[in-house]
Amino acid sequence: ELVQRLGATQIWLGDVDCCIIPPHFERQSTTGILSVPTVLFCAPNAVLYESFSMASRESAGWVTTYARAGLQVVLWNPAGYGRRKGSPSPRRNLQDG
């Protein structure tokens, strides 16, 4: 859903499951993170990642606000959520960030 509505790309950075929303929703020809100002959203309990995928472009809140302002947005799930293996913990979250 995020791919179609917001021009997003799903990638893995090591074992971290990420979804990248490009600035101004302009789909990129590359599948990696761009060298532009970026906002990182850790999705606690996987809420942000999944809820933004179900929201319209107009109602995806902070994600669309930052993308419209020309920032790249990276959503990622902590360990144990989404397709990530392992268990969440403060130490693991620090390592992921």
Side-chain angles (χ1 to χ4, degrees):
E1 296 290 327
L2 286 171
V3 171
Q4 291 177 337
R5 275 193 254 123
L6 303 180
T9 302
Q10 189 276 329
I11 67 166
W12 287 88
L13 296 174
D15 73 335
V16 180
D17 175 21
C18 298
C19 185
I20 303 168
I21 295 135
H24 308 293
F25 314 110
E26 295 171 2
R27 192 172 306 243
Q28 304 298 318
S29 59
T30 63
T31 57
I33 293 178
L34 302 172
S35 294
V36 298
T38 301
V39 175
L40 300 176
F41 274 103
C42 171
N45 295 330
V47 171
L48 288 175
Y49 201 146
E50 281 74 17
S51 65
F52 287 142
S53 71
M54 294 180 275
S56 69
R57 183 185 277 197
E58 293 73 33
S59 66
W62 289 107
V63 168
T64 56
T65 299
Y66 287 127
R68 282 190 185 107
L71 300 169
Q72 171 177 249
V73 180
V74 177
L75 302 168
W76 57 279
N77 280 322
Y81 294 95
R83 294 181 286 172
R84 298 246 355 247
K85 294 182 174 34
S87 300
S89 71
R91 174 179 271 164
R92 184 72 187 261
N93 289 345
L94 180 61
Q95 291 170 340
D96 289 346

